[in-house]
């Protein structure tokens, strides 16, 4: 059943200190070189690895996009990358960082998405998270957000935690979305691979396909670094024994990634109040009876229309506030939890 949540609002300076602080103070888990955990997926000529094999540039040009995939499937885990997005005119472009098993379970696949949606020059990138479970492509769990920084000028960390009972999406060390496992929900339950891609999505990515990729601005370059694959390697069919996952899960627990402190929960709710522009949880036109994994925040709900989109006046205020208050290094003060 849906839950109702009350929210305490954080001052903007504190929220700003959380989003962005992680690049100076990462989660503290081990990162991988490309060869240690990944393989090219497509567009090999547009996948450029650094000399030390610790960062990868994915290019999109008029001939091809590009992408890479983890060498193994994982049964739960923590997946993370520092990402910098293409600049200038990026309409029609999608950069994606996601876990999926669609190549193994075509009709019953699971998926956890970060999707970055390009825009016309002068307009900000938008970010979308999504969750699919057991082939629930007709019952997606989209949320969309603006970002409180310019993702083309700064590298920021984007992370997904997937356990047996919860999914958490992070920007830097701040959780921005939590999806609990509840009865009646579509929760991912099968091993997944991790993917990173850049591709031409002119038919839907920007204003419903109104603005296309303009290859006069190509190549479009996204950069991935500080890659993390912390989880239980798994056969795609057979569920691993508990002891096979102990080391990885113990590292996750000892790092505190799976714990949302009261301070981080306030930061998550504040991020959502300031930057979320669409939520499936408030889309009563699409889901009149709601979804079991939604937590309803009354003060949040009142700012959204019945179609789940932010009311226009609120959206304009948010964009003006974002433009006037970029996050600077001087504002990144650590919050004591």
């Amino acid at each position: 059943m849906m839950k109702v949540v009350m929210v305490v609002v954080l001052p903007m300076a504190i929220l700003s200190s959380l989003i962005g602080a992680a690049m100076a103070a990462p989660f503290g888990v081990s990162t991988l070189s490309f060869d240690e955990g990944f393989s090219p997926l497509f567009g090999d000529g547009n996948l450029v690895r650094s000399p030390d094999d610790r960062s990868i540039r994915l290019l999109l040009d008029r001939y091809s996009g590009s992408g890479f995939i983890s060498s193994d499937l994982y049964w739960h885990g923590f997946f993370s990358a520092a990402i910098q997005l293409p600049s200038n005119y990026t309409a029609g472009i999608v950069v994606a960082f996601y876990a999926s098993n669609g190549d193994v379970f075509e009709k019953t696949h699971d998926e956890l998405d970060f999707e970055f949606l390009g825009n016309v020059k002068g307009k900000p990138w938008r970010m979308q998270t999504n969750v699919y479970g057991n082939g629930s492509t007709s019952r997606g769990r989209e949320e969309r957000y603006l970002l409180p920084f310019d993702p083309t000028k700064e590298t920021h960390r984007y992370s997904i935690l997937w356990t047996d009972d919860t999914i958490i999406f992070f920007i830097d060390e701040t959780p921005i979305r939590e999806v609990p496992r509840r009865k009646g929900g579509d929760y991912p339950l099968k091993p997944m691979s991790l993917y990173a891609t850049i591709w031409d999505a002119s038919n839907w990515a920007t204003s419903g396909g109104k603005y296309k990729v303009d290859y006069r601005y190509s190549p479009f370059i996204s950069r991935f670094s500080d890659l993390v694959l912390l989880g239980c390697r798994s056969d795609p069919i057979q569920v691993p024994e508990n002891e096979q996952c102990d080391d990885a899960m113990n590292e996750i627990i000892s790092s505190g990634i799976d714990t949302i402190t009261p301070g981080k929960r306030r930061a998550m709710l504040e991020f959502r109040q300031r930057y979320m522009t669409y939520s499936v949880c408030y889309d009563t036109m699409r889901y009149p009876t709601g979804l079991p994994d939604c937590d309803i925040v009354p003060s949040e709900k009142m700012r959204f229309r019945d179609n789940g989109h932010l009311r226009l006046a609120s959206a304009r205020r948010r964009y003006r506030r974002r433009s006037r208050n970029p996050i600077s290094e001087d504002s990144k003060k650590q919050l004591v939890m």
Side-chain angles (χ1 to χ4, degrees), residues 271-292:
F271 175 90
R272 294 169 64 78
Q273 283 201 338
R274 290 184 180 274
Y275 300 110
M276 186 165 66
T277 62
Y278 170 84
S279 174
V280 69
C281 291
Y282 303 129
D283 192 343
T284 55
M285 294 177 64
R286 186 176 175 188
Y287 300 117
T289 60
L291 296 169

Side-chain angles (χ1 to χ4, degrees), residues 23-87:
M23 297 316 297
F27 282 100
V29 297
S30 303
T31 62
L32 299 172
S33 67
F34 186 83
D35 265 344
E36 287 177 310
F38 299 92
S39 302
L41 178 64
F42 69 99
D44 288 11
N46 281 355
L47 190 154
V48 182
R49 295 156 62 170
S50 65
D52 65 359
D53 210 33
R54 310 297 292 192
S55 67
I56 305 94
R57 289 185 296 161
L58 296 183
L59 281 66
L60 168 68
D61 58 26
R62 63 178 65 254
Y63 303 105
S64 177
S66 53
F68 59 87
I69 183 174
S70 61
S71 302
D72 296 293
L73 285 87
Y74 290 81
W75 177 261
H76 303 140
F78 178 71
F79 315 120
S80 183
I83 304 172
Q84 187 171 4
L85 299 176
S87 60

Side-chain angles (χ1 to χ4, degrees), residues 52-314:
D52 65 359
D53 210 33
R54 310 297 292 192
S55 67
I56 305 94
R57 289 185 296 161
L58 296 183
L59 281 66
L60 168 68
D61 58 26
R62 63 178 65 254
Y63 303 105
S64 177
S66 53
F68 59 87
I69 183 174
S70 61
S71 302
D72 296 293
L73 285 87
Y74 290 81
W75 177 261
H76 303 140
F78 178 71
F79 315 120
S80 183
I83 304 172
Q84 187 171 4
L85 299 176
S87 60
N88 214 322
Y89 185 99
T90 56
I93 297 171
V94 170
V95 175
F97 180 66
Y98 64 104
S100 177
N101 50 32
D103 56 340
V104 179
F105 304 99
E106 293 184 6
K107 295 184 179 180
T108 60
H109 89 282
D110 307 294
E111 192 167 315
L112 302 170
D113 294 331
F114 272 112
E115 291 180 311
F116 303 93
L117 311 178
N119 217 328
V120 296
K121 190 173 183 178
K123 298 292 185 180
W125 279 82
R126 294 150 301 138
M127 185 184 73
Q128 175 172 286
T129 61
N130 207 346
V131 175
Y132 295 113
N134 198 35
S136 60
T137 53
S138 63
R139 211 161 75 139
R141 299 290 198 277
E142 301 95 334
E143 287 189 349
R144 290 184 180 176
Y145 325 82
L146 296 174
L147 292 167
F149 49 79
D150 186 341
T152 72
K153 294 181 178 179
E154 303 176 26
T155 297
H156 286 265
R157 178 171 294 282
Y158 304 88
S159 309
I160 302 169
L161 175 67
W162 170 44
T163 71
D164 191 50
D165 55 15
T166 193
I167 297 159
I168 305 173
F169 294 87
F170 298 84
I171 299 179
D172 296 329
E173 287 192 354
T174 299
I176 64 163
R177 183 181 186 185
E178 182 179 25
V179 182
R181 181 178 178 179
R182 291 183 181 149
K183 185 177 180 180
D186 298 313
Y187 197 83
L189 295 173
K190 299 183 292 295
M192 292 189 277
S193 299
L194 185 67
Y195 295 80
T197 58
I198 183 170
W199 51 289
D200 184 330
S202 291
N203 61 328
W204 68 272
T206 308
S207 299
K210 179 179 179 180
Y211 300 102
K212 315 295 185 183
V213 175
D214 187 341
Y215 285 104
R216 292 177 299 174
Y217 295 93
S218 67
F220 304 99
I221 303 172
S222 57
R223 182 176 180 269
F224 292 75
S225 58
D226 295 328
L227 301 167
V228 175
L229 279 174
L230 181 56
C232 181
R233 291 182 175 86
S234 177
D235 179 273
I237 305 299
Q238 184 176 358
V239 176
E241 299 294 333
N242 288 339
E243 55 268 22
Q244 292 179 249
C245 298
D246 285 350
D247 288 345
M249 298 313 295
N250 285 340
E251 188 173 353
I252 289 173
I253 293 169
S254 64
S255 70
I257 298 170
D258 64 330
T259 302
I260 299 182
T261 65
K264 287 189 175 182
R265 187 165 296 281
R266 289 193 298 271
M268 176 173 69
L269 293 171
E270 176 69 0
F271 175 90
R272 294 169 64 78
Q273 283 201 338
R274 290 184 180 274
Y275 300 110
M276 186 165 66
T277 62
Y278 170 84
S279 174
V280 69
C281 291
Y282 303 129
D283 192 343
T284 55
M285 294 177 64
R286 186 176 175 188
Y287 300 117
T289 60
L291 296 169
D293 45 29
C294 283
D295 290 335
I296 303 300
V297 180
S299 60
E300 190 176 87
K301 181 180 180 180
M302 66 185 295
R303 297 194 308 277
F304 290 85
R305 302 196 301 269
D306 290 345
N307 63 2
H309 290 275
L310 195 66
R311 297 183 187 278
L312 185 59
S314 298

